[in-house]
Amino acid sequence: MELVLSLGMVGLATAVILNLGGVAARSTFSVSELQYVNIQLKFQALLFVVALLVLLVLLLINKENLSIFLAPGEVTAATRGVSLLGIGEGTSWLVLGVLFLFVITLGTTVFVYLQFRTSGGSWKQLFRYLPWVLLFSLTNSFSEEVVYRLGVIVPLYGRIEPGYIMLISAIAFGAPHLRGMPNGLIGAIMAGFLGWLLAKSVIETHGIFWAWFIHFVQDVVIFSAFVMAAANKALQPTTDRDAAPLG
């Protein structure tokens, strides 16, 4: 029953999220001369509402698990080994978190550079809109962690094996990135691995610190590229994907 509830809730939230870009683009509300900022601000506000609704449902489904995982957690907790990735049994998440933060951010940066290398932009343009980049990264990473990590882990933890929970989170997070950023099949695989890793961190540390922080840094890279491109008028948010990059 919990599996059905979790999949149904995350699936419904995803369907709503994938359509928020069009809703945001139709609104005339604006706070900036850069259209991308205006659309993204409205998108993030709507996404945050979705996240709050998911939290409300989780509170009703399993208040105890929500209270456990909606917290920073033990950031130095020991991890369960994964020989395929060279992760030794008992490795501290402090070491693992920093390591994966560097590796994953490097991969995201390379992928985003290849996607945006012809779109122009400059560091000067980025610094001008940096507060918006940081705000969007903060809200986007939190909202998506609520939906794709807590939305899966809270209902299922203690009911099915953690390995299956991580797999479900990976698929739920990776599939929408066929239309997100990073996008396409490679982007979906990258996002799927990230979803698996972040779910592992939440389960093993009993908190969202590493998941939220690692996700936040990836979003900083992604939103920086979108803002620089939009500011350079080489890429304008004329599609839902441009307006609403899942990251």
Side-chain angles (χ1 to χ4, degrees):
M1 181 63 177
E2 288 83 1
L3 179 60
V4 174
L5 287 173
S6 176
L7 293 178
M9 177 179 60
V10 173
L12 178 60
T14 299
V16 172
I17 291 170
L18 291 176
N19 287 281
L20 291 183
V23 177
R26 287 192 291 271
S27 172
T28 59
F29 177 78
S30 65
V31 295
S32 171
E33 72 281 2
L34 190 63
Q35 183 68 349
Y36 178 80
V37 169
N38 294 324
I39 293 178
Q40 193 59 230
L41 179 63
K42 290 173 283 190
F43 174 83
Q44 291 300 325
L46 293 171
L47 178 60
F48 189 69
V49 171
V50 173
L52 291 179
L53 291 175
V54 169
L55 284 175
L56 178 60
V57 174
L58 293 176
L59 182 64
L60 297 174
I61 292 177
N62 196 320
K63 181 179 179 180
E64 182 179 353
N65 277 356
L66 180 61
S67 67
I68 292 173
F69 294 110
L70 188 59
E74 187 181 349
V75 298
T76 61
T79 182
R80 295 183 62 182
V82 182
S83 57
L84 186 63
L85 297 178
I87 302 174
E89 186 76 22
T91 301
S92 169
W93 261 103
L94 183 60
V95 174
L96 201 60
V98 172
L99 175 62
F100 275 111
L101 174 65
F102 175 78
V103 173
I104 293 172
T105 302
L106 179 61
T108 299
T109 301
V110 171
F111 188 90
V112 170
Y113 170 76
L114 293 175
Q115 292 277 307
F116 286 87
R117 64 186 182 278
T118 61
S119 63
S122 69
W123 290 109
K124 182 178 180 180
Q125 292 168 331
L126 174 61
F127 291 146
R128 180 180 180 183
Y129 296 103
L130 187 58
W132 290 115
V133 169
L134 295 176
L135 175 63
F136 297 156
S137 299
L138 190 68
T139 57
N140 192 77
S141 56
F142 175 77
S143 296
E144 291 188 0
E145 286 308 306
V146 167
V147 174
Y148 296 105
R149 241 61 64 200
L150 298 186
V152 174
I153 294 171
V154 169
L156 300 181
Y157 185 76
R159 287 161 175 78
I160 66 175
E161 289 295 320
Y164 291 117
I165 298 176
M166 293 184 290
L167 180 61
I168 293 170
S169 181
I171 296 172
F173 191 58
H177 280 81
L178 290 169
R179 289 182 54 187
M181 177 57 67
N183 63 353
L185 180 59
I186 295 177
I189 293 173
M190 290 174 60
F193 173 75
L194 180 62
W196 174 87
L197 178 70
L198 300 187
K200 179 178 174 66
S201 76
V202 173
I203 291 172
E204 293 180 350
T205 67
H206 281 194
I208 64 170
F209 172 79
W210 282 116
W212 189 3
F213 183 57
I214 293 174
H215 195 157
F216 166 76
V217 175
Q218 309 318 301
D219 280 352
V220 169
V221 174
I222 293 168
F223 283 115
S224 294
F226 270 100
V227 165
M228 283 194 292
N232 196 52
K233 298 183 179 180
L235 176 66
Q236 294 297 327
T238 55
T239 68
D240 288 357
R241 184 181 69 82
D242 294 330
L246 286 167

